[in-house]
Amino acid sequence: MEFDKELKAHFLKGHDKYLRHVSVDSVIFGFHENDLKVLLLKAKYGAWSLSGGFILKDEHSDVAAHRVLKERTGLEKIFLQQFNVFSHPARSTKELNQQFLKNIGVKIDKSWMFERFITIGYYALVDFTKVNPTPDKLSEACEWFSIDDLPEMILDHRFIFEEALRALRMQLNFHPVGYNLLATKFTMPELQKLYETILGKKLDRRNFQRKMIATGILKKLEETKKGVAHKAPFYYKFDLPKYKKALKAGMELF
Amino acid sequence: MEFDKELKAHFLKGHDKYLRHVSVDSVIFGFHENDLKVLLLKAKYGAWSLSGGFILKDEHSDVAAHRVLKERTGLEKIFLQQFNVFSHPARSTKELNQQFLKNIGVKIDKSWMFERFITIGYYALVDFTKVNPTPDKLSEACEWFSIDDLPEMILDHRFIFEEALRALRMQLNFHPVGYNLLATKFTMPELQKLYETILGKKLDRRNFQRKMIATGILKKLEETKKGVAHKAPFYYKFDLPKYKKALKAGMELF
C-alpha cells in the first residue's frame, strides 16, 4: 500500500523532482574468476535491464549516475566513464511501464514516465567481491551475468552494453585499468588475463609485461605467489598516485 | 517585426516543438593553411559561442546536430562524432537570453529557454574551402578562428572545445582522419602536417609514412606535386571504401 502510493507519486509527480526526457544508464563491469561480468536488474513481471535512473533538477548527470550505482552496489567512488548518448526518438518505456502498472493493478493515464527519454550512457568498473547487488523498488532481482551469456534486455540496452564494451576496449589504450577490477596485489599473468578478457583476444606475454612495466604505474613486491607449480610469479600492486595521474593525463600502452 | 514575432513564439512556445532541457553543441573543425580552425558564432549584442541548437520532439540528437550544422555551413553529410555530455546544473542561458531580450526590447518573463540545459557535445570535421559560414537569426557573425587564438566564449563552451580537441586527438589513434579536412589529393607531408596540427606535436617523418601506408587506406597516384624545389612528393588520395571500413571497425595507427 505504501509502495503503491510512492509509485503513483513517482509516475504523476516525478517530473517536479527530476528532469524530463533525460536519464542515465550504467553498464556495471566486474571481473571474477577470469570472466568479465555485467550487473543487471530484472523488473517485476518484466525483463532484464541495465542499472538506470533519473537526474534531479539540480544534479550533474555524473552525480546522478554515482547515486544510482551506490543504490545498486553499495559502493561509493566507483570508476565511472561517460561514453555515449542514446537518443533514438523511439526510445520510450511507455509500453513497459503501462504493462507493469497493469500487472500490479495501478491505473495511470498520463505520466512523464511514458514520454521519450534520451539516456546518457556510463560504464563502471567495480570490485566484484565488494558489490552487494541490490534490486530497486521496481525490480525483483539484481544479478551478475557473464558478458558471453547475457539475457534478453529491454529497449536498446543490449546495444548500450555493446557500445560500452567497445568504449572500454578503446580506453584500454589510453587509461590504466585494473584498480577497481583486481585484488590489491596481483601477478602479471592475472593482469594480462584481465586485459585479454576485456579485449577478447590473446596478448603476447613478453610484450605485455614490457609495456605494462614501461607505463610506470606498477610496483613490484618482494612477495611471490604461493602454491604455484613452477616458477612462482611476483606480486605487483598499482602505484596509486601514478595510476591516478595516468588516468587524468592518459598514456599510450599498445 | 516579423522577427520579433518569431522570436517571441520561440521563447514562449518552443517547448511544444523541441525537447526541454536538452541541446546539441558542435565544435566545427576545419583545416586551412596548416592551421586548425573552429567555426564560431557571435550573438547579437553578445559573445562568441559554438554552433548549437535544440532537438525536435521526434528527432535523434545526431540528426539535430546535422540539421544545425547544415544551417551554419551549408554542408550535408558532415563527419560528426558525439564525444561527451555537459550537464553541470548551473548550465543555463537564462541571463544571456534575458540580456539579449532586454537589448532588443522584448519582454518575456517565463520561458523554457531560461531553464537548465544538458548539452550533447559533437565535433565535426569539415572541408574549410567548402564552408559558407552562415549566422543564425540570433547571431550577427559566423567566423573561423585559429584554435590558438580563440575569443572569449559563453558558458562552458571553451571547456567543450577543449574536450572536443582531446577526444579528436584520441580518435586519431583509431580512426582515419583527413577525408573531410584535406583536398581530394594530397602529399604525404601535407597529411603529416594535418596530424601534427591536431596532435600539437611533431611526428617522425619515416615512421609516419610507414604507419600510414600500412593502414591500407591510402592510394598512391602517379602524379607528383609541381613547383617543388627538390624531390617532388607524390600525391595520394584516400581509398574511400577502405577508409570507411576503418572508420567503422577502427584501426590502430600509433
Side-chain angles (χ1 to χ4, degrees):
Chain A
M1 203 55 187
E2 196 50 45
F3 170 67
D4 276 15
K5 216 170 134 187
E6 242 180 73
L7 191 73
K8 268 191 177 167
H10 179 69
F11 273 81
L12 294 174
K13 294 276 179 194
H15 57 277
D16 289 342
K17 193 173 163 189
Y18 299 109
L19 289 183
R20 292 173 107 114
H21 303 304
V22 202
S23 58
V24 292
D25 276 297
S26 295
V27 181
I28 307 175
F29 288 110
F31 188 65
H32 186 60
E33 292 178 350
N34 290 333
D35 191 20
L36 193 64
K37 292 173 186 292
V38 171
L39 192 65
L40 300 179
L41 287 163
K42 188 178 178 301
K44 284 169 183 163
Y45 311 99
W48 292 92
S49 71
L50 298 171
S51 170
F54 306 103
I55 303 169
L56 292 168
K57 286 214 158 174
D58 63 349
E59 189 180 42
H60 195 292
S61 63
D62 294 357
V63 176
H66 274 290
R67 177 172 51 75
V68 174
L69 278 178
K70 196 191 165 190
E71 287 166 15
R72 292 293 78 66
T73 63
L75 298 181
E76 287 181 89
K77 294 183 187 169
I78 284 177
F79 175 83
L80 199 62
Q81 179 72 42
Q82 195 258 302
F83 69 97
N84 219 333
V85 167
F86 300 87
S87 71
H88 197 288
R91 288 193 97 257
S92 155
T93 49
K94 183 173 181 178
E95 281 174 33
L96 290 170
N97 282 324
Q98 283 180 328
Q99 190 57 48
F100 170 74
L101 292 170
K102 202 177 158 190
N103 286 337
I104 61 169
V106 171
K107 197 171 151 43
I108 288 170
D109 292 323
K110 202 168 171 254
S111 168
W112 69 296
M113 291 278 284
F114 300 162
E115 291 169 6
R116 173 185 173 193
F117 276 93
I118 289 178
T119 203
I120 306 175
Y122 289 84
Y123 66 83
L125 305 179
V126 304
D127 185 340
F128 179 90
T129 61
K130 287 193 187 139
V131 171
N132 178 22
T134 312
D136 61 20
K137 286 184 181 173
L138 303 178
S139 305
E140 61 182 30
C142 183
E143 285 172 25
W144 288 104
F145 286 86
S146 165
I147 63 164
D148 297 322
D149 192 23
L150 294 174
E152 283 268 321
M153 287 189 258
I154 63 163
L155 296 175
D156 53 357
H157 283 204
R158 170 88 205 184
F159 178 62
I160 296 176
F161 154 75
E162 280 163 9
E163 290 292 299
L165 185 58
R166 207 161 73 98
L168 173 59
R169 284 175 175 167
M170 259 194 196
Q171 294 278 340
L172 271 197
N173 287 277
F174 296 107
H175 296 125
V177 159
Y179 179 58
N180 306 286
L181 294 172
L182 293 172
T184 315
K185 60 184 188 185
F186 47 84
T187 65
M188 193 59 80
E190 285 166 357
L191 184 62
Q192 181 172 343
K193 191 70 205 171
L194 170 66
Y195 273 77
E196 289 179 340
T197 304
I198 294 174
L199 290 169
K201 66 179 181 190
K202 291 272 172 201
L203 299 170
D204 178 72
R205 188 181 60 81
R206 270 186 293 187
N207 248 336
F208 180 80
Q209 175 154 349
R210 186 176 51 76
K211 284 178 175 174
M212 281 308 308
I213 287 171
T215 63
I217 61 170
L218 292 177
K219 269 186 189 169
K220 193 174 181 176
L221 305 181
E222 293 297 319
E223 193 185 348
T224 57
K225 187 165 182 172
K226 304 284 182 288
V228 179
H230 299 289
K231 201 180 155 195
F234 277 95
Y235 276 117
Y236 289 82
K237 65 177 188 179
F238 290 113
D239 183 327
L240 216 51
K242 285 188 187 160
Y243 187 100
K244 285 184 177 164
K245 212 176 139 193
L247 258 188
K248 226 171 171 176
M251 59 176 208
E252 280 178 36
L253 185 55
F254 296 111
Chain B
M1 203 56 189
E2 196 51 45
F3 170 67
D4 275 16
K5 215 170 136 188
E6 242 181 73
L7 191 74
K8 268 192 176 166
H10 179 69
F11 273 81
L12 295 174
K13 293 277 179 193
H15 57 278
D16 290 343
K17 194 173 163 189
Y18 299 108
L19 289 183
R20 291 173 107 113
H21 303 305
V22 201
S23 58
V24 292
D25 276 297
S26 295
V27 181
I28 306 174
F29 288 110
F31 188 65
H32 187 60
E33 291 178 350
N34 291 334
D35 191 20
L36 193 63
K37 292 175 186 290
V38 172
L39 192 65
L40 300 179
L41 287 163
K42 188 178 178 300
K44 285 168 182 163
Y45 311 99
W48 292 91
S49 70
L50 298 171
S51 170
F54 305 103
I55 303 170
L56 291 167
K57 286 214 159 174
D58 63 348
E59 189 180 42
H60 195 292
S61 62
D62 293 357
V63 177
H66 274 290
R67 177 172 51 74
V68 174
L69 278 178
K70 197 192 163 189
E71 287 166 15
R72 291 295 77 68
T73 64
L75 298 181
E76 287 180 86
K77 294 180 185 170
I78 284 177
F79 176 83
L80 199 61
Q81 178 73 43
Q82 195 258 301
F83 69 96
N84 219 333
V85 167
F86 300 88
S87 70
H88 197 289
R91 288 193 97 257
S92 156
T93 47
K94 183 173 180 177
E95 280 174 34
L96 290 171
N97 281 324
Q98 283 180 330
Q99 190 57 48
F100 170 74
L101 291 171
K102 201 177 158 190
N103 286 338
I104 61 169
V106 170
K107 196 169 151 46
I108 288 170
D109 292 324
K110 201 166 171 256
S111 168
W112 68 297
M113 292 278 285
F114 300 163
E115 292 169 6
R116 172 185 173 193
F117 276 93
I118 289 178
T119 203
I120 306 176
Y122 289 83
Y123 66 84
L125 305 179
V126 304
D127 184 340
F128 179 91
T129 61
K130 289 194 184 136
V131 170
N132 177 22
T134 311
D136 62 20
K137 286 184 180 174
L138 303 178
S139 305
E140 61 182 31
C142 183
E143 285 173 25
W144 289 105
F145 286 86
S146 165
I147 63 164
D148 297 323
D149 192 22
L150 295 174
E152 284 267 323
M153 286 189 258
I154 62 163
L155 296 175
D156 53 357
H157 284 205
R158 170 87 205 186
F159 179 61
I160 296 176
F161 154 75
E162 280 163 8
E163 289 293 298
L165 185 59
R166 207 161 72 99
L168 173 59
R169 285 175 175 167
M170 260 195 196
Q171 295 279 339
L172 270 197
N173 287 276
F174 297 107
H175 296 125
V177 158
Y179 178 57
N180 306 287
L181 294 172
L182 294 172
T184 315
K185 60 183 188 185
F186 48 84
T187 64
M188 193 60 78
E190 284 165 357
L191 184 61
Q192 181 172 343
K193 191 70 205 172
L194 171 65
Y195 273 77
E196 288 180 341
T197 304
I198 294 173
L199 291 170
K201 67 179 182 191
K202 290 273 172 201
L203 298 170
D204 177 72
R205 187 180 62 80
R206 269 187 292 187
N207 249 335
F208 180 80
Q209 175 153 349
R210 185 175 52 76
K211 284 179 175 173
M212 280 309 306
I213 287 171
T215 64
I217 61 170
L218 292 177
K219 269 187 190 169
K220 192 174 181 175
L221 305 181
E222 293 298 318
E223 193 185 348
T224 56
K225 187 164 180 171
K226 304 285 181 287
V228 180
H230 301 290
K231 200 180 156 194
F234 277 95
Y235 276 117
Y236 289 83
K237 64 177 188 179
F238 290 114
D239 182 327
L240 216 53
K242 285 189 186 159
Y243 187 100
K244 284 184 178 165
K245 212 177 140 193
L247 258 188
K248 227 172 170 176
M251 60 176 207
E252 281 177 37
L253 186 55
F254 296 111

